[in-house]
Amino acid sequence: MLRLRLLAIVLLGLAVATPGFAQGVNGVLEGKVTDEQGLALPGVNVTVRHSATGFQRSATSDTTGVFRVPGLPIGKYEVKTTMSGFAAQTLKSLDINVASTTTVDFRLAVAGKTEEVVVTAEAPLIDVKDSGVGEIVTSTQIENLPLNGRQFGNLAALVPGVSLGFHTDPTKSTQFAPQAGGGGGRNINYLIDGGDNNDDTVGGLVQNFPLDSIGEFNFQTQRFKAEYGRANGGTLTVVTKSGTNDLRGSAFNYFRDKSLNSQTETEKLHEVEKGAYRKYQYGGSLGGPIVRDKTHFFLSFERVQQDTTQSVDTLGLFPEKDGVYDLPYRENMFVGKVTHQLTPNNYLSVRYGFNNNSQIYGASPQSAPESWGDNKNSFHSANLNLNSVLSGGKLNELMFQYSFFSNHITEMSTLPSETFPSGVYVGQSVNTPQSTDQQKYQLRDDFTWNQGRHELKAGVSFINEPVLDITFSTGQQPSYVHLEDSRNSPISSITYNGSIGGGEGGNIGKIPNKQYGLYLQDTWRATDKLTFDLGVRYDYVSGFAFDQEENPVFADLQAAGRAGKLDGVIGLEDFGQEPAEDKNNVAPRAGFTFDANGNGSLVVRGGAGRYYDFAYTNANILFAVISAQSSFGQIYSHDNTAGIKNPDGSNYQVGQPLPPNQLTPTRPHFNHGASPRIKQPYTDQANLGFSKSLGKSYAIEFDAIYAEGKDLGVRPRLNVRINGGPRRFSTILPNVGSSNFAADVSEGRSHYKAISLAFKKRWDGKLQFLASYTLSKSTATSRRATDEFIGDTLVNAFDPFADVQEGPTNNDARHRINLSGVWSPGFGLTVAPVFRYRSKTPYTITTGNDDNKDGVNFDLPAGTETVNQARGSDFSQLDLRVSKKFSLTGRVKLDLIAEAFNVLNAKNPGGYNGNMRSSTFGQPTEYAGDFQRGEQRIGQFGLRVEF
């Protein structure tokens, strides 16, 4: 009875292991050791050992009984406490998660009353120390849930409030993108093994990795600590797998075929047969010891070979271009990693990653194949992490990374382009050819130390980006805009580009920059129940105050600003000032958690803070840089919003001699001029919520979230015509007054409000699930998203940033439901569904006429107060994975896998046409199965061998 009673004391004393977020790729173990009466025990030795690799570290409890073991690679650990006079205790199978702090308390019995006690740990349930909002996606979910395309980022859509869309940039047109905080996926900071994995041109994820190389990830969507920077919408921290003491490996092949698919809605509407579809996705991994308990390796490779089709219907305009066309896609991914425990206190990790792909750019049901592009990408990254425990339990984490990204999109034709209100597009894409090259060198160092109840942390980060180059040679053929869905309809605009002298050429924009960040934070345990997170961060980027003196747009605006001719012009206030970098980016942050019952069963959390993002060049200075550094620009323009006429009064037709050039002077005109004082965008965020356990394995979580964005990069065109007459600035801008250029300024605003309710069950070997509902509202003066640039559609170009202009963003959805689960009923079977629902998102209705005679044929209907005033369709998708595991011999196991995506074959229409002059007004132009629209019901079989 005595032994049972003491065992009960130990079980009660081992508090539920609860993770709170911490920086980097490693985790932290901390807790408190007391005796049977609850009194603190100083001097207790706590040793942790990684079960799979033999990695080992230890710490000693302080005068308050608190211990802390930092710098732990993810995985399962054995934790042992020893002290003279007390019985030893061992806790087995304790999970340490990426970028998190796991808390475990021990209650020791006097030696002689009992032998050593061994207890198996339970999985984390509630985060008792995290004051922000987010979720850890575990290896169980990564390995078992259905992932369309096996892109790990898809699993971010399991997190409450997060949607899944496609990357909006053409360089990554087949890449999915998680969307959080009302954004389109560009305002998320991606960290892979602690290294920057962001595209500084357009934002979002750069390099992809084999799914078998992903250990787990932590997606913090709101209100994270000061150690995290360059994101105002969320931080996704990923850690790749490492080798273990056992030689382990895998090989897999997934197969799709036309016979397993449904016909797409576009194919049905166009009355064409089901298009060809075949896909192979295969690869494997291998990891093991180089020196047992000391040095390990891990390798992973994955290849995608996909051949699908796109049905094209030009709505009777160009029947000779209609048909079904091939969409080939190829991708290769590789990861190699070595880990080495230099000493018990020094752990080294070195990883190399490679990724390349080729795909089609710009395919759609209304775009002829000649207007597509051939898109090729190549990515490399080399990452080194060294974490060292110093005297007194201090931890230093050093990270260095080099990364490289190259993209090239070539044109399919050089035919003149024609655009129709229905969205039909023929001729050369005006975005081709183009290329992007990025190179980054990153150094980061974080230092952590304890002072009583204070866990202090300070760090610095430096990124040198000597190469951020963009090349365009676009639109060197005339581009025509039709007013009606007829080849003989009036044409409202003709433009084309070229170099000085009228010859062919291109433009190159070079945007080298340096990114600096530093922070200081304090996690203060005010009481055993109340913890405060207090911190401040500073970020600075050089390179945005670049030389624009050769850009006529900038030169004209600067001269007008200095002369006081832009006084009162909203959006152009900074022109006339000397160029300067944004240096006042101080971001204070404060949060709290309150463990109401002291046992992790009810935790209240909240806080507020400021979060700066990187001013992505595409939304801020990209085209202004090109305008300043090249001699290539618009050399011809003629427009008439009522229709261009020939001298005899007839409508001008494509192929006839060009009307007189309206550009004066006739040197190349440039489209953009950036403010001399571009700012780094930021959001002020606040949250309040709670988590409550329901028994041992279940919990509910509630969060209320608010974010207000400011200084967002926008690109409005303000030089409109005044009632059909001269352009607004024609008399004060002598070089560019005849063109409707864009002013790249930091004037955008946004608001995001949401409440979220989640219900989850931790994995117990049989069942795990996560269900959430989010009610949200997202508005901005930028119609595309809270993290992206504005389009040409304005309510009032004379006051583009008035309160009335802030309307729903493209990704604004009132309701979101995310459901996922993994169920293993026995017999080697695993069933794993994922369901995602999003209510209607908005689109903009325009009259298609120039009602106010400002020279733009996209006026909003009378009485309309904002863009995005109409709503499209709901989105829903159910994916399902069923697998059966067979034991072959020894450790060799075989998995037979069947997966279905979009099981219910939801149509998921999109691309709604808001032009009231179009024959397809108010109708969707794309459906599931079309390029970048998700997929119709698709089946997939897989075979996987593990040893």
Side-chain angles (χ1 to χ4, degrees):
M1 291 296 294
L2 178 61
R3 181 172 296 181
L4 290 175
R5 187 162 55 250
L6 290 174
L7 179 60
I9 292 174
V10 173
L11 290 174
L12 289 174
L14 290 171
V16 175
T18 51
F21 294 141
Q23 189 276 327
V25 298
N26 302 302
V28 176
L29 174 65
E30 67 175 35
K32 186 174 184 178
V33 188
T34 61
D35 62 15
E36 295 172 75
Q37 285 71 45
L39 299 177
L41 283 178
V44 178
N45 183 66
V46 181
T47 301
V48 299
R49 183 179 184 275
H50 194 284
S51 304
T53 66
F55 171 86
Q56 185 169 301
R57 275 194 177 153
S58 61
T60 303
S61 61
D62 63 17
T63 55
T64 65
V66 173
F67 68 92
R68 190 172 189 274
V69 189
L72 300 178
I74 68 168
K76 291 187 178 296
Y77 281 81
E78 178 182 285
V79 185
K80 187 172 184 177
T81 61
T82 57
M83 183 179 183
S84 177
F86 289 86
Q89 291 184 13
T90 300
L91 180 64
K92 291 191 172 182
S93 298
L94 176 67
D95 284 313
I96 299 294
N97 298 113
V98 56
S100 65
T101 298
T102 301
T103 303
V104 175
D105 294 338
F106 289 89
R107 180 168 291 184
L108 303 188
V110 175
K113 288 186 177 182
T114 185
E115 302 171 357
E116 178 181 351
V117 177
V118 179
V119 179
T120 300
E122 291 184 323
L125 186 59
I126 294 178
D127 303 338
V128 299
K129 292 202 169 185
D130 173 45
S131 63
V133 181
E135 195 76 38
I136 292 174
V137 178
T138 66
S139 59
T140 298
Q141 295 164 293
I142 294 173
E143 293 169 3
N144 292 285
L145 290 172
L147 285 178
N148 200 355
R150 289 175 53 84
Q151 295 183 25
F152 72 88
N154 296 12
L155 286 171
L158 306 180
V159 177
V162 179
S163 293
L164 189 65
F166 279 92
H167 202 296
T168 53
D169 186 71
T171 65
K172 304 167 194 68
S173 56
T174 58
Q175 187 183 95
F176 289 93
Q179 300 169 340
R186 304 186 188 223
N187 59 345
I188 295 171
N189 184 18
Y190 293 89
L191 300 173
I192 312 294
D193 294 328
D196 178 284
N197 194 44
N198 299 284
D199 189 329
D200 284 349
T201 302
V202 297
L205 181 73
V206 177
Q207 182 176 348
N208 220 331
F209 290 78
L211 185 63
D212 273 15
S213 72
I214 304 300
E216 63 182 32
F217 65 83
N218 188 337
F219 194 12
Q220 303 174 61
T221 58
Q222 180 83 8
R223 261 270 307 114
F224 29 91
K225 292 183 179 180
E227 53 202 292
Y228 294 98
R230 62 160 301 153
N232 58 25
T235 295
L236 199 155
T237 305
V238 179
V239 61
T240 56
K241 291 180 179 178
S242 302
T244 68
N245 280 332
D246 295 325
L247 185 65
R248 298 279 186 174
S250 66
F252 65 88
N253 186 21
Y254 290 89
F255 171 72
R256 298 183 186 184
D257 185 75
K258 170 182 177 179
S259 61
L260 303 175
N261 302 348
S262 294
Q263 190 179 24
T264 70
E265 185 66 16
T266 296
E267 290 169 340
K268 293 176 182 178
L269 293 173
H270 298 170
E271 298 181 345
V272 298
E273 295 183 359
K274 186 164 53 174
Y277 193 115
R278 178 155 292 198
K279 179 177 181 179
Y280 296 95
Q281 193 161 7
Y282 55 87
S285 64
L286 181 67
I290 299 174
V291 178
R292 187 174 179 82
D293 287 344
K294 192 176 185 69
T295 310
H296 304 86
F297 77 94
F298 181 83
L299 306 171
S300 181
F301 171 77
E302 188 165 332
R303 175 172 170 81
V304 181
Q305 186 169 316
Q306 175 178 287
D307 293 289
T308 61
T309 59
Q310 174 66 62
S311 175
V312 173
D313 183 355
T314 59
L315 307 179
L317 292 172
F318 298 87
E320 71 279 7
K321 302 179 187 294
D322 296 345
V324 179
Y325 297 90
D326 293 335
L327 291 181
Y329 176 68
R330 303 289 185 269
E331 182 166 33
N332 298 289
M333 293 173 282
F334 170 79
V335 162
K337 186 176 182 180
V338 175
T339 57
H340 177 60
Q341 187 163 2
L342 300 166
T343 69
N345 289 329
N346 293 276
Y347 183 78
L348 176 68
S349 170
V350 180
R351 187 261 301 155
Y352 166 73
F354 168 74
N355 176 207
N356 70 356
N357 59 57
S358 61
Q359 56 202 295
I360 294 296
Y361 160 66
S364 79
Q366 276 78 54
S367 297
E370 66 197 27
S371 67
W372 303 352
D374 187 14
N375 187 3
K376 298 182 184 299
N377 296 280
S378 181
F379 313 86
H380 301 265
S381 63
N383 178 285
L384 181 148
N385 271 275
L386 175 64
N387 83 74
S388 305
V389 175
L390 310 177
S391 61
K394 300 178 179 67
L395 174 70
N396 191 77
E397 296 173 284
L398 176 69
M399 192 280 302
F400 173 78
Q401 179 172 281
Y402 168 76
S403 58
F404 169 82
F405 162 47
S406 178
N407 163 259
H408 297 278
I409 306 177
T410 57
E411 72 275 28
M412 296 291 194
S413 79
T414 56
L415 294 173
S417 63
E418 298 180 60
T419 307
F420 295 83
S422 60
V424 171
Y425 188 98
V426 298
Q428 179 186 356
S429 168
V430 296
N431 290 325
T432 61
Q434 63 170 284
S435 65
T436 303
D437 289 286
Q438 297 182 24
Q439 294 185 36
K440 291 184 185 180
Y441 299 85
Q442 181 183 10
L443 181 67
R444 175 165 185 158
D445 192 71
D446 299 271
F447 186 71
T448 308
W449 71 102
N450 286 341
Q451 292 289 332
R453 288 185 171 271
H454 298 268
E455 176 194 321
L456 301 171
K457 193 165 189 177
V460 296
S461 176
F462 172 64
I463 295 177
N464 179 24
E465 194 164 20
V467 178
L468 181 55
D469 297 348
I470 315 294
T471 302
F472 284 93
S473 300
T474 59
Q476 295 183 53
Q477 299 294 327
S479 178
Y480 304 90
V481 177
H482 290 263
L483 283 173
E484 309 288 349
D485 287 323
S486 167
R487 296 175 68 172
N488 297 320
S489 69
I491 294 171
S492 64
S493 172
I494 311 172
T495 60
Y496 69 85
N497 298 336
S499 300
I500 292 177
E504 293 187 359
N507 47 41
I508 299 177
K510 296 181 179 293
I511 318 171
N513 64 86
K514 292 179 172 62
Q515 305 167 32
Y516 306 84
L518 58 91
Y519 71 90
L520 175 65
Q521 68 184 34
D522 178 12
T523 302
W524 171 34
R525 291 182 294 110
T527 70
D528 288 342
K529 295 183 178 181
L530 179 63
T531 300
F532 290 100
D533 290 325
L534 307 173
V536 62
R537 182 179 182 88
Y538 177 74
D539 289 286
Y540 169 69
V541 178
S542 66
F544 278 68
F546 61 99
D547 183 3
Q548 298 185 73
E549 293 301 326
E550 297 301 318
N551 179 1
V553 175
F554 179 78
D556 274 9
L557 289 171
Q558 281 290 86
R562 293 186 183 114
K565 297 178 180 179
L566 297 178
D567 292 349
V569 179
I570 298 175
L572 303 182
E573 297 93 333
D574 286 342
F575 285 100
Q577 301 186 59
E578 290 302 310
E581 306 284 9
D582 185 12
K583 297 181 180 179
N584 62 343
N585 304 319
V586 178
R589 303 173 190 181
F592 76 93
T593 59
F594 179 65
D595 185 0
N597 300 321
N599 59 5
S601 61
L602 175 62
V603 177
V604 181
R605 60 180 172 269
R610 177 162 291 185
Y611 297 81
Y612 282 91
D613 204 345
F614 179 80
Y616 298 107
T617 58
N618 193 37
N620 291 275
I621 62 171
L622 173 62
F623 293 99
V625 166
I626 290 172
S627 296
Q629 297 180 0
S630 67
S631 60
F632 183 89
Q634 190 176 98
I635 60 175
Y636 175 88
S637 175
H638 191 103
D639 67 82
N640 185 333
T641 54
I644 298 172
K645 302 292 185 180
N646 291 314
D648 62 3
S650 62
N651 288 329
Y652 175 84
Q653 300 293 309
V654 174
Q656 293 180 341
L658 293 175
N661 192 353
Q662 293 178 341
L663 291 181
T664 55
T666 57
R667 55 174 289 181
H669 279 234
F670 302 96
N671 292 324
H672 291 256
S675 165
R677 301 197 171 187
I678 290 292
K679 301 179 180 67
Q680 301 300 315
Y682 70 91
T683 59
D684 289 326
Q685 302 180 6
N687 72 293
L688 183 64
F690 69 88
S691 296
K692 181 172 180 17
S693 63
L694 305 174
K696 292 175 60 177
S697 300
Y698 298 85
I700 60 171
E701 295 182 341
F702 172 84
D703 290 288
I705 299 167
Y706 174 80
E708 180 179 3
K710 295 181 181 179
D711 292 347
L712 305 183
V714 292
R715 311 190 311 206
R717 296 185 179 273
L718 306 180
N719 194 25
V720 295
R721 298 189 184 280
I722 301 175
N723 196 28
R727 294 196 177 274
R728 181 181 181 186
F729 305 122
S730 59
T731 60
I732 62 174
L733 305 179
N735 294 298
V736 298
S738 61
S739 64
N740 194 11
F741 56 84
D744 301 1
V745 295
S746 303
E747 295 284 349
R749 301 190 316 273
S750 68
H751 287 86
Y752 177 73
K753 305 172 185 177
I755 56 173
S756 178
L757 181 65
F759 181 41
K760 62 182 180 180
K761 182 187 184 302
R762 66 184 173 197
W763 176 245
D764 58 5
K766 293 184 178 180
L767 179 65
Q768 176 274 334
F769 66 78
L770 174 61
S772 67
Y773 165 74
T774 303
L775 174 67
S776 64
K777 182 178 182 180
S778 175
T779 61
T781 53
S782 166
R783 68 186 175 104
R784 294 197 176 184
T786 60
D787 58 353
E788 297 180 23
F789 48 81
I790 199 166
D792 289 339
T793 307
L794 298 173
V795 177
N796 180 3
F798 291 87
D799 193 6
F801 306 110
D803 291 340
V804 71
Q805 291 277 41
E806 188 167 328
T809 68
N810 282 4
N811 297 306
D812 176 48
R814 290 291 174 269
H815 310 282
R816 286 181 173 85
I817 297 174
N818 297 336
L819 308 173
S820 65
V822 179
W823 177 46
S824 295
F827 312 104
L829 281 172
T830 301
V831 180
V834 172
F835 175 75
R836 293 179 287 119
Y837 169 81
R838 184 204 65 215
S839 61
K840 299 174 181 176
T841 51
Y843 67 97
T844 298
I845 292 178
T846 67
T847 63
N849 296 317
D850 185 11
D851 300 312
N852 60 5
K853 307 300 181 184
D854 66 353
V856 179
N857 266 325
F858 298 102
D859 289 349
L860 301 177
T864 300
E865 294 186 348
T866 71
V867 297
N868 278 346
Q869 72 277 38
R871 295 272 168 172
S873 297
D874 296 348
F875 172 91
S876 67
Q877 182 160 325
L878 172 64
D879 302 333
L880 181 65
R881 185 181 194 267
V882 179
S883 64
K884 166 69 175 175
K885 190 180 294 292
F886 298 89
S887 294
L888 299 182
T889 176
R891 296 185 316 186
V892 181
K893 299 184 186 301
L894 171 67
D895 258 7
L896 297 181
I897 303 165
E899 294 181 315
F901 301 96
N902 196 359
V903 174
L904 302 179
N905 203 26
K907 296 179 182 179
N908 293 330
Y912 279 81
N913 189 339
N915 190 328
M916 297 175 68
R917 296 187 68 164
S918 170
S919 59
T920 59
F921 167 67
Q923 301 176 26
T925 59
E926 301 169 335
Y927 298 88
D930 292 328
F931 188 69
Q932 284 205 318
R933 287 301 307 174
E935 293 176 300
Q936 76 277 33
R937 182 169 58 236
I938 283 182
Q940 175 171 280
F941 290 114
L943 181 70
R944 182 181 182 87
V945 178
E946 295 181 342
F947 63 86

